[in-house]
Every structure is written in C-alpha cells, then in structure tokens.
Amino acid sequence: MADHFQLRLVDSTMLAPTVRHMAFERADGQPLAFVPGQFLQIHFHYEDGVATKRSYSVGTVGDGSSPVQRIEIAVSYVEGGAATRLLGELPIGGVIDASGPYGRFCLQAGDTNGRYLLLATGTGVTPYRAMLPQIAELVKRGREVVLLYGARNETELLYGEEFEAFAKANPGFSFYGCLSRQPRDVPRPNDRPGHVQTVLAELAPTAERDIAYLCGNPNMVDAAFAALKESGLPVAQIRREKYISSR
C-alpha cells in the first residue's frame, strides 16, 4: 500500500541544460522501500488552489532490494510548468508532499527470457538506473541486457557516463547512445545516429529471446511498441511507461 510522507531536499545538481537531479530524504527520517522501476507522486496546488500531482521514477542506485535513505529523481524543465516552478525554486532543506511508491514497471523474477531490451528517452532512463544492481545479478547468471537511450545530443544523455562505466564493469550489459540531432565530437563505438526505435532493428528482436521495456516520450514508446510487435513480440513481452508533460 502506498504511503504518504514529506520529502526534504538534501542535494540538487543539473544533469543537462533542462534536467535537474534532485536528492531527497523523508522528513520523518524513515527509509523508502521501493522496487526499482517504481515511481513517487509529488503533491502540490496550482496558483488557483486546485490540487494536482506529478509522477517521478525513483532513480536511486541501492542494492536492488533494500529500502533506501536517499531518494533521487530527475526533473525535466517544462516552460511555464507548475511543477518546474515548485521544484526549480525549492531550496536545500525545503519540504514537499509525496506519496508512493507506485507502479509495476519492474523486472520480474519469473521471466525466463535470454535478453532484456531497455529503451528510453529523456528522464525515462531514470528507472533503469535504479535497476543497475538487479541487472548486475542478471548478467552474472548469463542473461543479456541492452539499453538503447535516445537523446538529441551528448549533453542530454542523462547518467550516460554511469551507464558506460557499468557496461565496462559488467560484460553482458550493453549501452547504446542514440543521438538524433548531433553526434559527439569524439564518437564512441556504441553511439548510433537516429532515434531509438530505428536503432532497435539492429538488435533483431525475437519473441523467443526478448522482453522489452519502453520508457519515455510517448512517440518513441508507441513507435517502438509497433516495431516490436512487427518483430513478433507478443504484447505480454512489451512493458511500457510513458512520460507526459503537464502544465
């Protein structure tokens, strides 16, 4: 059952020109129990007093199974957005109302597939960051995990250096940076031009081998979903979460 609590901001840094990494702790000092892939909801009010909320995936890298003390999220800047104003202006020590965790966008213990295809754009990569300890265990047991992450340019590959370092330390995990607008000045072997859903064809998905996770921009999620179905993956092997900007 989801819990309601307050979060106190303890750290904040810019990941990209329009994305902020924010670290919180519960104001009551309790740890947060969550399954990597789940999200929290931040509760607040518009200027006219109407109650609203926003959802943010927990990006904390813990041990994959235990509660965490530090609750990390990535927040995109939305021009004129109420949540952007709330979180962008929140000072260190500031408190906000939250609830959770929610969601089932999680790795499943009963899966028997040989490979996971993880697709993301923007802050949709955040839940995969939290999954890294679980992914490390999967690849140790012989599973393969591939992360295709789409961005317009190198500066928008959130946590890109972390994923690349993880790939070097964990054979069986591959990270592809899909850059749709501008390549890096010094390209890397696993960089790919174009959108995630286009690069997906290179991996030749099959129903016998793959389970896919799609998280991020709705256009990418819909296009990748269609491409995966065309490759023969049944809907049960395609797990989706769309990130939609609100006012």
Side-chain angles (χ1 to χ4, degrees):
M1 181 178 295
D3 194 8
H4 287 256
F5 45 85
Q6 289 190 313
L7 292 176
R8 179 177 291 112
L9 184 64
V10 296
D11 193 21
S12 177
T13 57
M14 295 303 295
L15 286 176
T18 60
V19 181
R20 183 181 296 275
H21 175 92
M22 305 185 76
F24 297 88
E25 293 179 356
R26 284 180 54 147
D28 59 11
Q30 295 299 308
L32 176 75
F34 81 108
V35 179
Q38 290 188 309
F39 63 90
L40 300 180
Q41 290 186 333
I42 305 301
H43 300 259
F44 61 103
H45 292 82
Y46 289 124
E47 290 183 350
D48 59 9
V50 175
T52 188
K53 57 193 174 185
R54 296 288 184 275
S55 298
Y56 297 96
S57 291
V58 180
T60 305
V61 181
D63 64 9
S65 60
S66 301
V68 296
Q69 205 70 38
R70 196 176 177 93
I71 301 155
E72 301 174 12
I73 63 175
V75 179
S76 292
Y77 177 85
V78 177
E79 183 70 38
T84 295
R85 184 167 58 253
L86 169 73
L87 295 171
E89 297 175 359
L90 190 69
I92 299 297
V95 173
I96 54 175
D97 294 320
S99 66
Y102 304 97
R104 292 181 286 185
F105 189 73
C106 309
L107 298 171
Q108 304 297 321
D111 290 341
T112 59
N113 56 305
R115 183 173 68 170
Y116 283 106
L117 302 176
L118 311 180
L119 280 64
T121 55
T123 56
V125 81
T126 310
Y128 303 140
R129 182 176 186 255
M131 291 176 186
L132 288 178
Q134 295 177 322
I135 292 171
E137 291 302 315
L138 287 171
V139 298
K140 282 179 186 176
R141 298 199 296 269
R143 309 282 273 283
E144 186 180 354
V145 181
V146 182
L147 172 55
L148 292 179
Y149 182 28
R152 290 178 295 185
N153 54 58
E154 180 180 9
T155 64
E156 295 181 359
L157 283 174
L158 313 180
Y159 310 112
E161 297 298 331
E162 288 186 41
F163 288 119
E164 290 197 355
F166 184 84
K168 290 178 181 178
N170 293 270
F173 174 80
S174 302
F175 173 72
Y176 291 86
C178 306
L179 301 171
S180 62
R181 298 275 183 90
Q182 182 181 7
R184 299 184 209 248
D185 292 337
V186 181
R188 301 183 185 181
N190 276 16
D191 284 354
R192 295 293 185 273
H195 295 284
V196 167
Q197 57 269 29
T198 305
V199 180
L200 176 62
E202 179 183 332
L203 300 176
T206 65
E208 294 74 27
R209 184 184 187 191
D210 296 313
I211 288 177
Y213 283 70
L214 318 176
C215 191
N217 180 283
N219 293 332
M220 180 280 289
V221 171
D222 290 343
F225 181 72
L228 288 163
K229 285 201 300 179
E230 190 171 325
S231 297
L233 264 69
V235 173
Q237 288 172 225
I238 309 172
R239 299 161 185 172
R240 296 172 286 174
E241 193 153 276
K242 297 181 181 181
Y243 281 21
I244 301 172
S245 298
S246 303
R247 74 179 180 95

